[in-house]
């Protein structure tokens, strides 16, 4: 079993308090994945100080050189992909193929951001005056506090660390206390790739103490947070009060519309993987299915039949389709929501129970759960459950379906299955979410385009690549005007 330390100023160190906490395998509660140092304010102080000191030389390191280190990190991630994927399954519970996919996202992000080191461009534009030139430059922001959740335990740290570093910032990473070992392996890889000391620091510990102190620390210039709406909103308040930039990526209540002309088999597959992939623990999970009246019964039958064949178990076992949920508190919360759904009058047609036998005896397993006859305003159709619970809602037509999708506090991802190009165009125009999929599920974003939501799903700028993506989040514009009319005047006088 690993002992997991903080990484501060180029050294792996214990926390000041000497206290520890345990990271466990949610599929086998008795298996401890790591014993982790529990940090406090003093550890954060040291990490921020190291990041401040390193900033002076890192910001002056040419961006292509910074990119070379990121490129090397991506190579090491590729080399270690299999073992990292297995670690993700042990620590977070997702099935191995998804664990490997998560690592692949980090690899892709590493290569992509390494390339940005050579494309880091601004603009030059003509001046209104004959002896003046002007340009805009991207410059780093300073020290970033990066706070990450457990559901993509390597990909999300990489989505923040790689762009922050390529832009010339230094950083303090505070990962989820449910997946500290994955985050630590990721930092180890950057160290192996040659990252200078102090550029990236890692501090483990409870979010309410360590994360909140980091967000309000006077030595930090900006915060990038991914996690729940409640935490994100709280941090937005803290940062707003001290005029600190913050970017938040938060929850979702994503929906798939299934129209009467949809390819139902395709739509069922999308609903299965959107609803039950990662055990429903994706910010983009398809937790609502808004299905046209004409195909409602047929769709439900197919969907139920397909979902009932999903096998629960340890994600390292080949036959497993759906792993455990992350921890006891999520386990209890999800089961409470099942009771809420029943009380609200929705009809439970599959699952709804914990599974504690056979492969599932030792972990936090909940059966894939389907509610039908759900009305859009029910709590199970409005609130983020973050587990394998899907609500099916009937709709009359496209316009009503779009209204239902839009009528939640969230706005991250949505999808429509239809064969009609006009319906897809209307959906693309009118769905109020950061991401819209046509004939694909609500999951599967790629890093070459900006990622993020609106309303309660996100605040501030976006993540990932493309125009308006992470470079805009992790750098700021500096505009330079140069007036050389003095030189012209001198030339005229000399003449
Ligand atoms: P969370 O409870 O909000 O925690 C996220 C991170 O914030 C963790 O590192 C946590 O540390 C820390 N934290 C908790 N309380 C804090 C506080 N008061 N101040 C500062 N930091 C604090 O969320 P989660 O359960 O880890 O993740 C699930 C949520 O993330 C879901 O809502 C999901 O939709 C969302 N998510 C969104 C995206 C997106 O891109 N939109 C992607 C993935 C996940 P501890 O672990 O130590 O508590």
């Amino acid at each position: 079993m690993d002992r997991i330390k903080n990484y501060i100023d180029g050294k792996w160190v214990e926390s000041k308090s000497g206290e520890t906490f345990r990271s466990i395998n949610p599929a086998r509660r008795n298996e401890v994945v790591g014993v982790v140092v529990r940090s406090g304010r003093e550890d954060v102080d040291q990490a921020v100080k190291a990041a401040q000191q390193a900033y002076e030389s890192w910001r002056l390191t040419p961006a292509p050189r910074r990119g070379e280190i990121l490129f090397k990190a991506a190579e090491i991630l590729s080399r270690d992909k299999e073992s990292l994927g297995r670690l993700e399954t042990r620590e977070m519970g997702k099935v191995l193929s998804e664990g490997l996919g998560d690592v692949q996202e980090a690899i892709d992000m590493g290569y992509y951001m390494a390339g940005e080191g050579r494309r880091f461009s601004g603009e030059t534009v003509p001046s209104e005056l004959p002896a003046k030139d002007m340009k805009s430059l991207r410059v780093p922001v300073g020290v970033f506090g990066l706070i990450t959740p457990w559901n993509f335990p390597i990909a999300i740290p990489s989505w923040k660390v790689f762009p922050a570093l390529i832009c010339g910032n230094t950083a303090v990473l505070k990962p989820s206390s449910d997946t500290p070992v994955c985050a630590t392996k990721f930092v180890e890889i950057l160290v192996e790739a040659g990252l200078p000391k102090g550029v990236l620091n890692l501090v483990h510990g409870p979010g309410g103490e360590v994360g909140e102190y980091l967000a309000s620390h006077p030595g930090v210039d900006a915060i990038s947070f991914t996690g729940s709406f409640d935490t994100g909103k709280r941090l937005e308040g803290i940062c707003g009060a001290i005029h600190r930039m913050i970017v938040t990526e938060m929850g979702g209540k994503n929906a798939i519309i299934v129209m009467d002309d949809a390819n139902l088999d395709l739509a069922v597959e999308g609903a299965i993987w959107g609803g039950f992939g990662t055990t429903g623990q994706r910010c983009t999970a398809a937790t609502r299915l808004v299905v046209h009246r004409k195909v409602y019964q047929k769709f439900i039958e197919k969907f139920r039949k397909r979902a009932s064949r999903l096998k629960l178990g340890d994600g390292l076992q080949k036959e497993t389709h759906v792993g455990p949920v992350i921890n006891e508190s999520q386990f209890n919360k999800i089961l409470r929501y099942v009771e809420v759904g029943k009380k609200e009058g929705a009809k439970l047609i599959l699952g709804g129970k914990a599974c504690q036998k056979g492969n599932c005896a030792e972990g936090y397993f909940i059966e894939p759960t389907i509610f039908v006859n759900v009305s859009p305003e029910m709590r199970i159709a409005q609130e983020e459950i973050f587990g394998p619970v899907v609500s099916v809602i009937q709709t009359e037509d496209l316009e009503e379906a779009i209204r239902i999708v839009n009528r939640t506090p969230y706005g991250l991802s949505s999808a429509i299955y239809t064969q009609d190009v006009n319906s897809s165009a209307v959906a693309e125009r009118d769905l109020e979410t950061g991401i819209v999929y046509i004939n694909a599920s609500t999951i599967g974003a790629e890093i070459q385009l900006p990622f993020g939501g609106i309303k309660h799903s996100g605040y501030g700028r976006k993540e990932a690549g493309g125009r308006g993506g992470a470079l805009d989040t992790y750098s700021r514009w500096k505009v330079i005007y140069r007036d050389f009319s003095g030189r012209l005047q001198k030339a005229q006088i000399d003449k």
Side-chain angles (χ1 to χ4, degrees):
M1 175 204 322
D2 287 336
R3 185 171 178 92
I4 300 300
K5 296 183 180 171
N6 287 337
Y7 185 69
I8 298 176
D9 204 17
K11 294 191 194 73
W12 294 100
V13 292
E14 297 285 334
S15 66
K16 287 284 168 230
S17 70
E19 290 173 23
T20 56
F21 64 97
R22 296 178 324 153
S23 170
I24 63 147
N25 179 344
R28 301 173 192 282
R29 273 168 292 202
N30 295 330
E31 183 186 324
V32 179
V33 182
V35 173
V36 188
V37 302
R38 186 189 191 285
S39 314
R41 290 182 165 221
E42 276 182 85
D43 305 287
V44 176
D45 287 338
Q46 284 197 343
V48 172
K49 191 170 163 208
Q52 283 178 308
Q53 283 168 351
Y55 178 64
E56 284 316 311
S57 56
W58 184 245
R59 77 182 176 93
L60 299 178
T61 303
R65 296 283 91 73
R66 300 197 290 254
E68 282 165 18
I69 296 175
L70 267 50
F71 191 92
K72 197 152 178 209
E75 303 259 83
I76 301 169
L77 281 163
S78 301
R79 181 196 73 192
D80 295 351
K81 181 174 170 181
E82 181 71 25
S83 63
L84 291 167
R86 297 183 86 81
L87 171 66
E88 283 213 14
T89 299
R90 280 180 62 223
E91 192 173 40
M92 185 270 164
K94 60 175 72 177
V95 296
L96 181 57
S97 57
E98 291 186 10
L100 294 171
D102 188 76
V103 182
Q104 186 59 46
E105 269 197 25
I107 295 168
D108 296 342
M109 195 54 131
Y111 285 133
Y112 187 92
M113 286 297 155
E116 292 292 2
R118 290 185 182 270
R119 281 192 293 264
F120 212 51
S121 55
E123 283 180 291
T124 56
V125 290
S127 164
E128 289 163 10
L129 299 172
K132 187 177 168 196
D133 62 15
M134 48 207 273
K135 63 184 175 185
S136 60
L137 302 172
R138 280 192 188 277
V139 295
V141 177
V143 174
F144 256 90
L146 308 175
I147 302 175
T148 55
W150 44 264
N151 63 337
F152 289 90
I154 292 180
I156 291 183
S158 85
W159 278 42
K160 297 190 185 303
V161 168
F162 286 143
L165 299 190
I166 199 66
C167 291
N169 306 286
T170 56
V172 177
L173 171 65
K174 199 317 268 176
S176 166
S177 300
D178 283 301
T179 51
V181 184
C182 286
T184 303
K185 294 291 165 198
F186 175 66
V187 173
E188 274 177 22
I189 283 168
L190 275 145
V191 174
E192 186 184 340
L195 201 67
K197 70 171 188 171
V199 171
L200 176 63
N201 304 274
L202 171 70
V203 182
H204 296 290
E209 284 175 52
V210 173
E212 201 154 317
Y213 183 57
L214 177 64
S216 58
H217 198 287
V220 168
D221 297 289
I223 292 293
S224 173
F225 166 84
T226 300
S228 63
F229 173 70
D230 287 345
T231 310
K233 185 175 163 222
R234 183 170 171 78
L235 295 179
E236 286 164 11
I238 290 171
C239 289
I242 53 176
H243 192 61
R244 173 162 301 160
M245 179 193 140
I246 180 165
V247 176
T248 56
E249 293 290 353
M250 302 177 285
K253 194 68 192 174
N254 316 289
I256 295 178
I257 297 173
V258 182
M259 292 303 294
D260 51 348
D261 62 354
N263 175 333
L264 280 196
D265 292 330
L266 203 64
V268 165
E269 279 313 297
I272 288 286
W273 294 115
F276 304 121
T278 326
T279 323
Q281 302 170 113
R282 284 175 181 251
C283 51
T284 51
T287 52
R288 295 181 297 156
L289 307 177
V290 183
V291 183
H292 195 282
R293 172 177 54 78
K294 287 190 189 155
V295 290
Y296 186 73
Q297 279 311 332
K298 198 168 170 199
F299 177 85
I300 289 173
E301 278 155 33
K302 278 177 178 271
F303 181 51
R304 189 196 169 285
K305 199 165 160 201
R306 177 75 177 83
S308 66
R309 293 205 302 267
L310 293 173
K311 286 211 165 55
L312 276 174
D314 184 334
L316 286 179
Q317 287 163 353
K318 269 210 179 85
E319 61 276 14
T320 300
H321 300 117
V322 180
V325 301
I326 185 72
N327 57 31
E328 189 173 355
S329 115
Q330 269 302 116
F331 177 81
N332 291 330
K333 178 180 155 191
I334 295 162
L335 292 176
R336 277 200 303 277
Y337 267 110
V338 173
E339 293 312 309
V340 168
K342 286 189 207 162
K343 279 208 190 92
E344 286 180 310
K347 185 174 168 200
L348 183 68
I349 59 160
L350 187 72
K353 296 191 299 298
C355 174
Q356 286 169 327
K357 54 182 194 297
N359 275 345
C360 302
E362 295 172 38
Y364 299 116
F365 290 94
I366 294 180
E367 295 170 352
T369 297
I370 303 175
F371 279 108
V372 299
N373 301 351
V374 176
S375 59
E377 63 285 351
M378 286 179 180
R379 282 183 63 199
I380 54 168
Q382 287 289 321
E383 298 172 17
E384 188 184 48
I385 300 173
F386 226 53
V389 181
V390 174
S391 294
V392 191
I393 301 167
Q394 194 176 144
T395 188
E396 284 295 316
D397 55 33
L398 178 63
E399 284 66 29
E400 186 193 51
I402 291 173
R403 276 198 304 277
I404 292 170
V405 174
N406 290 346
R407 217 185 308 133
T408 76
Y410 294 102
L412 185 51
S413 183
S414 59
I416 180 167
Y417 283 85
T418 178
Q419 310 275 5
D420 180 350
V421 68
N422 300 319
S423 299
S424 82
V426 170
E428 182 182 320
R429 186 190 66 189
D430 292 344
L431 285 168
E432 291 168 3
T433 52
I435 309 167
V436 175
Y437 292 87
I438 317 287
N439 289 326
S441 190
T442 53
I443 61 177
E446 298 195 29
I447 60 143
Q448 298 87 274
L449 286 174
F451 178 92
I454 57 172
K455 303 196 287 190
H456 284 194
S457 297
Y459 176 84
R461 294 173 180 181
K462 300 223 174 199
E463 304 232 66
R467 252 183 288 150
L471 291 192
D472 282 353
T473 301
Y474 293 96
S475 67
R476 55 179 157 220
W477 289 113
K478 182 182 263 186
V479 175
I480 313 289
Y481 295 100
R482 181 168 43 200
D483 185 323
F484 48 98
S485 58
R487 163 94 180 150
L488 279 188
Q489 281 158 12
K490 183 172 177 299
Q492 275 160 6
I493 292 163
D494 289 349
K495 219 167 31 175

